[in-house]
Amino acid sequence: MRLAMVGLGRMGLNMVRRLLQGGHEVVAFNRSPGPVQEAAAAGAIPATSLADAVSKLSAPRVVWLMLPAGDVTESHIHQTMDLIAPGDIIVDGGNSNFNDTVRRAEMIRARGFEYVDVGTSGGVWGMAEGYSLMAGGSNEAIAVLRPALETLAPAPDTGWGHVGPSGAGHFVKMVHNGIEYGMMQALAEGFEVMRAKKDFALDLHQIAELWRFGSVVRSWLLDLTANALKDDQELSDIKGWVADSGEGRWTVQAAMDLDVPAPVITLSLMMRFVSRQDESYAAKLLAAMRNQFGGHAVKRPDEP
């Protein structure tokens, strides 16, 4: 099949390459020309604008957006609707909030177009390993997209699925990322506990490697942990500052809206906020309170 890929960040470019390797034709467009040139070098059809990209497609046209959540995606959806015809398909493969997706689906279908949200996981390894794809939309639209989804996934019958109506794909991906926060936090805390046990002189890389086989905690995240610990167990070139994509926050909000307790995901999100503080005012105030009520010692700024 032929489709247009709009937004050629690292994941978008790798998805283009995987589609091309699978025998599909891809029209590639990006606001800056460099990624378009990279995609063209891999065999994609370059486009100089969104309109140019759409003009190179035939019905039913498929325009796949790989853009940041929010205004950028919203703007491109409106631009795309002005260029396509009824029956054509807009795909949002980014990390949009599922509430936005549900709203957009109603707006897009009112114009006669199809809208599919594809939660996409796989990161920088997706090109080689395949992507996990969680698709929301109509049966008819998914049927058109199926060849591309089967190519992008690890195997035609593995790692992708039609999980529900529009919004479901982004909802499932949101929860996936929330779970990821909790798993990552548990691994990080466990390895810090082992690192603190100095009298055992534990080799953390060795432990990560042995857990990778046979252990009930074996996982891809553990594989990546082992890779990270291989050359420098102290991680001396990395600052302990952890960003969040926003989907952890949305998962916590959804859990609250649905009256579902999600303490592990919630606390793992809070710990990412803690990582961004050079000094915690709350911790300082806690120390001051202990000093006030119990005379407990406090450390001064110049003390180790």
Side-chain angles (χ1 to χ4, degrees), residues 98-119:
F98 76 94
N99 291 301
D100 287 335
T101 302
V102 171
R103 172 182 58 78
R104 290 165 180 162
E106 294 179 2
M107 171 185 69
I108 291 167
R109 288 195 182 124
R111 297 272 301 269
F113 314 125
E114 290 281 358
Y115 185 50
V116 177
D117 50 300
V118 180

Side-chain angles (χ1 to χ4, degrees), residues 63-292:
V63 180
W64 190 309
L65 307 178
M66 288 298 294
L67 299 166
D71 292 343
V72 174
T73 293
E74 187 84 16
S75 172
H76 277 75
I77 286 173
H78 283 278
Q79 292 176 53
T80 301
M81 286 195 294
D82 290 337
L83 298 167
I84 58 178
D88 291 345
I89 302 170
I90 300 173
V91 181
D92 181 1
N95 285 332
S96 291
N97 187 299
F98 76 94
N99 291 301
D100 287 335
T101 302
V102 171
R103 172 182 58 78
R104 290 165 180 162
E106 294 179 2
M107 171 185 69
I108 291 167
R109 288 195 182 124
R111 297 272 301 269
F113 314 125
E114 290 281 358
Y115 185 50
V116 177
D117 50 300
V118 180
T120 307
S121 181
V124 298
W125 295 83
M127 171 60 195
E129 304 290 337
Y131 296 92
S132 176
L133 303 164
M134 298 143 262
S138 70
N139 291 331
E140 294 76 13
I142 297 298
V144 174
L145 287 176
R146 187 182 185 96
L149 296 171
E150 290 180 343
T151 298
L152 289 168
D157 59 351
T158 302
W160 80 274
H162 182 193
V163 298
S166 293
H170 282 151
F171 182 81
V172 173
K173 175 56 164 50
M174 176 192 75
V175 176
H176 163 282
N177 281 25
I179 293 169
E180 177 186 297
Y181 279 36
M183 293 173 65
M184 292 172 69
Q185 185 66 31
L187 284 169
E189 290 177 7
F191 277 88
E192 183 164 21
V193 171
M194 291 189 289
R195 178 177 176 272
K197 189 64 175 173
K198 300 297 185 184
D199 53 324
F200 282 171
L202 298 173
D203 184 331
L204 300 185
H205 177 250
Q206 176 202 30
I207 293 165
E209 286 291 348
L210 71 90
W211 282 357
R212 290 178 59 219
F213 304 95
S215 165
V216 295
V217 299
R218 64 186 183 272
S219 64
W220 188 43
L221 287 173
L222 183 59
D223 295 343
L224 299 177
T225 300
N227 285 344
L229 293 171
K230 182 177 180 180
D231 297 323
D232 178 13
Q233 294 190 32
E234 293 303 312
L235 305 175
S236 54
D237 292 335
I238 299 175
K239 184 176 180 179
W241 192 101
V242 187
D244 71 283
S245 65
E247 294 202 279
R249 303 185 192 210
W250 299 341
T251 304
V252 171
Q253 183 62 57
M256 292 190 294
D257 292 343
L258 296 167
D259 294 329
V260 174
V264 171
I265 295 173
T266 302
L267 186 55
S268 67
L269 173 64
M270 295 300 109
M271 291 305 295
R272 294 196 177 196
F273 298 157
V274 169
S275 78
R276 301 172 202 174
Q277 294 183 310
D278 291 328
E279 186 174 34
S280 169
Y281 178 79
K284 292 169 69 173
L285 192 54
L286 284 171
M289 284 189 280
R290 292 183 76 249
N291 178 259
Q292 289 290 320

